[in-house]
Amino acid sequence: MWEALYNLTDFLWGTPLMILMVGVGLYLSVRTGFFQITGIKTWWSHTIGEVFGKEKKSDGGEGELKPYQALSTVLAGTVGSGNIAGVAAAIAIGGPGAVFWMWIIAIVGMMTKMAEVTLAVKYRKKSESGEYYGGPMHYMKDGLGKAGKILAGFYAVALLIEVLTDACFIQPNTLATCVQDVFKIPLLVSGIVVAVTACIVVLMGGIKKIGDFCGRLVPPMIIIYIVACLAVVVMHAGQIPAAIGMIVKYAFAPAPAIGGFAGSTISLAMGRGAARGIFSNEAGMGTATTVHATAQTDNPAHQGMYGVLEVFIDTIIICTLTALAILCSGVWSDGNTGVVLTFDAFRSVWGTVGIVVLCIAVVLFTYSSYLGFFVEFRTCVEYIFGEKAVKILQWLFFVLPVLSVTLEVEKVWDLADMAVGFIVIPNMIALLMLSPKFLEIFRGYTKKN
């Protein structure tokens, strides 16, 4: 069964899907004049400038979460095991060249994410209870007519599977494995703690409580991890040119077997790099847009700029630092994979203290990711079964982590990769078909700003 699943995953992440993902992102980049690069001053001032600077904050529109809270909640969902264990797994299987393809996906994915977020806010809806729902299934259904309804139904089911796999399996599994390895706490205990505490947060405060929690936790969490990674890279600074050289070289050439590394092909580097890149920043998946759709904003394109920033922080900064720490420290060819490989990199500089620090970072990353995914889970359930079903099916979200912590991590990652493949395809088709609407909103907003 698992061999068949692995083959299906390889098929989904083959060349055709890579062409679709890069092609759509490149098309949107060209049509917007590569706004992610040429417009960096604009989107930076409309995001970071508003959150930390003196820029005017345009958060007076309708919505549940302030733009900063929406960004933090999304980062809580995206900055997680994909940045720590996922990058390591990509290098362990696809070789250093996987990092290059991760960068490519991120660069073009910035505009893919902006288009997704913009459309999600444009086509969101407000329920009778006052809660906002939005995302790919909504812009497919309302923006594409009859064909859109079919795409939306397929996407909603696939997204529900992906959310359950990622949030309820990968995040708790990575957290529990890490805590057991460092502090010898049984896997089941970690699973129960994750489920119970998340249940309390969600049931007591709902979406706004999640936004407030993530808004307070995520920024310091990211800063701590970045500083820790930088220390590893700086201590092995002499290896940075060689690491970058390997990333570029093995993106276009097979990586030979070295030490415990079995070697890889170009297609394997490309596929694993793309899969981990998208799994981490979610550009092209449309998943994060369910959170952005709840944001208070004056214009859909304004919130879309937070999508550009999100990919930049997640992949260009955090994933790159993780990759450089692993490659510069030389542990990438030792034969380990997943979070253990990142542990080895931290251990090379920090020793036992580094392992404890990284473990704490993993716990914070994965727990906030799991919690942040509840918004996506809620949106899927509401679309498929109706709003009343959310209160009943939400218990599935809280129970599964207890069951998932004892599964083998490799099998969990294969399930997640397969699910991601199924949601990317319909979303990319929708983005192409709705690109005129996105470009209309984008141009109208940027002309005034």
Side-chain angles (χ1 to χ4, degrees):
M1 172 184 175
W2 288 106
E3 183 63 28
L5 180 62
Y6 189 82
N7 292 334
L8 179 59
T9 301
D10 278 350
F11 171 76
L12 287 173
W13 286 107
T15 303
L17 188 55
M18 273 291 295
I19 293 175
L20 179 63
M21 289 156 38
V22 174
V24 173
L26 185 59
Y27 170 75
L28 293 172
S29 297
V30 171
R31 292 300 304 274
T32 58
F34 283 90
F35 178 74
Q36 68 270 53
I37 299 173
T38 60
I40 187 169
K41 182 178 179 180
T42 300
W43 61 258
W44 187 267
S45 65
H46 281 69
T47 54
I48 293 294
E50 291 180 348
V51 173
F52 299 106
K54 297 180 180 180
E55 298 287 336
K56 180 181 177 181
K57 298 182 179 180
S58 302
D59 56 24
E62 294 185 351
E64 297 178 76
L65 301 179
K66 292 182 178 181
Y68 168 68
Q69 291 179 317
L71 174 66
S72 295
T73 303
V74 168
L75 285 175
T78 56
V79 179
S81 59
N83 302 80
I84 301 174
V87 173
I91 294 174
I93 299 174
V99 180
F100 178 87
W101 297 109
M102 200 178 295
W103 288 341
I104 296 299
I105 288 297
I107 292 172
V108 298
M110 287 180 184
M111 292 316 301
T112 303
K113 177 61 74 74
M114 182 174 186
E116 292 173 332
V117 174
T118 301
L119 293 169
V121 176
K122 168 65 178 176
Y123 290 101
R124 67 182 178 181
K125 73 171 188 177
K126 185 177 182 180
S127 68
E128 294 181 359
S129 63
E131 295 182 306
Y132 283 82
Y133 293 92
M137 61 282 279
H138 288 278
Y139 57 68
M140 290 173 185
K141 178 183 176 181
D142 298 333
L144 297 176
K146 293 182 179 179
K149 292 182 180 180
I150 298 175
L151 278 177
F154 180 85
Y155 181 91
V157 174
L159 178 58
L160 181 60
I161 295 173
E162 194 279 328
V163 168
L164 289 175
T165 304
D166 189 349
C168 301
F169 284 80
I170 286 183
Q171 307 301 335
N173 186 289
T174 302
L175 183 153
T177 301
C178 176
V179 171
Q180 183 189 50
D181 184 61
V182 177
F183 299 111
K184 311 305 178 185
I185 296 176
L187 296 170
L188 192 59
V189 172
S190 295
I192 292 173
V193 171
V194 167
V196 172
T197 54
C199 181
I200 293 173
V201 172
V202 173
L203 296 182
M204 289 185 64
I207 301 302
K208 292 184 178 180
K209 189 67 175 179
I210 292 176
D212 183 61
F213 177 85
C214 293
R216 296 175 183 275
L217 176 64
V218 171
M221 173 183 78
I222 290 177
I223 291 173
I224 291 172
Y225 184 71
I226 287 176
V227 171
C229 274
L230 279 173
V232 176
V233 175
V234 170
M235 290 301 292
H236 297 93
Q239 298 301 315
I240 294 178
I244 295 176
M246 287 192 296
I247 290 173
V248 176
K249 177 181 179 180
Y250 294 128
F252 303 98
I258 303 174
F261 176 65
S264 70
T265 61
I266 299 175
S267 61
L268 191 58
M270 184 183 298
R272 292 298 168 175
R276 292 294 173 257
I278 285 188
F279 189 87
S280 179
N281 62 49
E282 300 183 19
M285 291 168 58
T287 48
T289 66
T290 60
V291 180
H292 284 290
T294 68
Q296 299 170 6
T297 183
D298 61 330
N299 188 284
H302 185 184
Q303 190 62 29
M305 293 183 187
Y306 280 89
V308 178
L309 176 67
E310 176 193 332
V311 177
F312 178 79
I313 293 174
D314 180 273
T315 306
I316 301 300
I317 294 180
I318 301 178
C319 284
T320 297
L321 284 174
T322 300
L324 288 177
I326 292 171
L327 294 174
C328 290
S329 61
V331 302
W332 70 277
S333 60
D334 290 346
N336 291 321
T337 188
V339 72
V340 176
L341 191 56
T342 313
F343 272 168
D344 290 343
F346 270 61
R347 187 182 291 113
S348 69
V349 169
W350 293 98
T352 304
V353 174
I355 299 305
V356 173
V357 170
L358 181 57
C359 181
I360 293 174
V362 170
V363 170
L364 295 176
F365 274 137
T366 52
Y367 179 75
S368 62
S369 289
Y370 166 67
L371 194 60
F373 269 118
F374 181 78
V375 182
E376 297 172 18
F377 173 79
R378 180 203 69 159
T379 304
C380 291
V381 172
E382 183 276 335
Y383 186 87
I384 299 172
F385 304 106
E387 189 175 12
K388 293 182 179 179
V390 174
K391 292 184 178 180
I392 299 174
L393 294 180
Q394 66 184 2
W395 293 104
L396 180 65
F397 190 84
F398 301 132
V399 171
L400 285 179
V402 180
L403 305 176
S404 71
V405 292
T406 57
L407 292 177
E408 294 182 26
V409 67
E410 288 79 9
K411 294 180 179 180
V412 176
W413 277 109
D414 285 340
L415 277 172
D417 285 345
M418 181 182 68
V420 169
F422 278 119
I423 66 175
V424 166
I425 295 173
N427 189 48
M428 287 297 184
I429 294 173
L431 289 179
L432 273 178
M433 297 176 71
L434 288 171
S435 59
K437 174 58 69 174
F438 161 66
L439 291 170
E440 176 187 340
I441 299 171
F442 169 81
R443 288 166 182 161
Y445 185 72
T446 52
K447 282 182 180 179
K448 298 178 181 178
N449 294 274

